[in-house]
Amino acid sequence: MKADFPPLYPYSRAEAVRRSETQKHEDSFRENVKCAWDIEKALREHVRDDGVTLDEGCAQSILETYGFKRVWFVLSNTLGEMARPREISEDVRQWTRRSYVPPDGKRNRRFAVGVSAPLLEAFIRQTREAYQALELFGPEHCAGDPFKLDYEGKVLVLSPDALRESHWRPKDQLWLGQGGFGCSPDSRGQAVYAVCLGDGEETRWNRDDFIGVLDEQYLPDWAAEKLAGLQAKEQPEPSSGGMEMT
């Protein structure tokens, strides 16, 4: 995939005006429309004779051009604009709802993919399979209630939404919480200072950038090794045991 994709603007035109960000909205809207058109084109070119089966890799070609975030946004918008969305399987509808699309008047219709429900579902399933192949950590890999846990000293799972798609790798998701007001679930502060177990980068995140605390059973060997090394550095130096000179 590309190192970076054009940024997806998640707000409506009215909100963009309020924020003085109309150009960002317009740029993203145009990219959404292009994405919807290209999905339609790919479906026409890669549908098999039965009219419901797609050639392998059809969705991948679109993902490599637009990225998961925009494709999700367009697909979620498409379901919202469908007259009979229940023609799409419930599990597929639930997965696609991970991306919220704000009501934006007639603009929503402009980037809705106009294809049959079976063909749309086949495309969404290919998109989901491509995402699952990344083997990213999610809420299902976390333990406890993220709204109640203290994050300091814990292995945290960073949300993919906080990362550029070029960094959507498991090694970029696991961080050791080191401090900051945001580590406490009862603090009004948001700052969480953490170190990446993948490459050792130290930076500041907001508490809500993290999905939660990783369940120990899912801690990979490479991460366990990095964690042990970091924890060893934090141990106090052993005392020499000798008497102090006066």
Side-chain angles (χ1 to χ4, degrees):
M1 288 193 178
K2 293 181 180 178
D4 291 298
F5 297 99
L8 173 70
Y9 192 77
Y11 306 114
S12 67
R13 174 76 177 185
E15 181 65 13
V17 171
R18 190 185 72 81
R19 291 169 172 257
S20 298
E21 296 176 340
T22 54
Q23 190 60 55
K24 290 183 179 180
H25 176 277
E26 186 64 25
D27 292 343
S28 187
F29 173 70
R30 288 175 180 172
E31 198 72 8
N32 293 340
V33 173
K34 286 172 54 183
C35 180
W37 286 350
D38 282 350
I39 290 175
E40 290 182 11
K41 180 181 178 183
L43 292 175
R44 289 194 301 269
E45 294 176 349
H46 294 282
V47 64
R48 296 182 181 174
D49 292 339
D50 61 5
V52 296
T53 305
L54 293 176
D55 293 333
E56 187 175 344
C58 174
Q60 189 65 36
S61 65
I62 300 298
L63 292 169
E64 289 174 354
T65 302
Y66 295 99
F68 281 98
K69 291 181 181 180
R70 190 172 305 280
V71 171
W72 279 333
F73 197 76
V74 170
L75 293 176
S76 182
N77 178 67
T78 300
L79 289 184
E81 291 295 304
M82 288 181 68
R84 293 184 294 276
R86 291 190 178 276
E87 292 181 353
I88 302 292
S89 302
E90 174 63 22
D91 67 310
V92 172
R93 295 204 312 273
Q94 287 291 343
W95 188 80
T96 309
R97 289 193 189 111
R98 63 192 303 140
S99 182
Y100 171 71
V101 182
D104 207 10
K106 295 180 180 179
R107 295 180 183 84
N108 293 99
R109 171 50 51 186
R110 292 277 306 279
F111 64 98
V113 180
V115 296
S116 67
L119 207 53
L120 179 65
E121 178 161 339
F123 184 86
I124 295 174
R125 289 188 180 280
Q126 279 199 7
T127 302
R128 182 171 63 178
E129 290 170 4
Y131 179 76
Q132 291 171 340
L134 298 176
E135 298 183 338
L136 299 178
F137 293 103
E140 67 275 16
H141 301 109
C142 295
D145 186 342
F147 297 103
K148 298 179 179 179
L149 295 175
D150 191 292
Y151 281 0
E152 187 167 355
K154 305 292 197 311
V155 176
L156 309 175
V157 178
L158 189 64
S159 170
D161 291 337
L163 292 165
R164 295 195 303 271
E165 290 190 41
S166 56
H167 289 272
W168 276 17
R169 297 183 293 266
K171 285 193 173 185
D172 290 325
Q173 281 190 281
L174 298 187
W175 295 70
L176 176 63
Q178 295 184 308
F181 289 116
C183 283
S184 171
D186 301 318
S187 173
R188 296 173 66 180
Q190 279 288 309
V192 174
Y193 295 94
V195 57
C196 181
L197 296 184
D199 60 11
E201 177 188 355
E202 298 183 25
T203 193
R204 175 200 184 281
W205 296 100
N206 287 334
R207 184 181 176 94
D208 56 12
D209 288 326
F210 294 99
I211 298 171
V213 175
L214 183 71
D215 190 320
E216 290 185 2
Q217 67 176 311
Y218 297 114
L219 185 67
D221 291 341
W222 64 264
E225 183 178 345
K226 291 290 184 66
L227 178 63
L230 290 170
Q231 291 173 334
K233 290 180 181 180
E234 294 176 356
Q235 295 299 318
E237 291 292 331
S239 172
S240 64
M243 294 182 63
E244 291 187 9
M245 298 293 290
T246 59

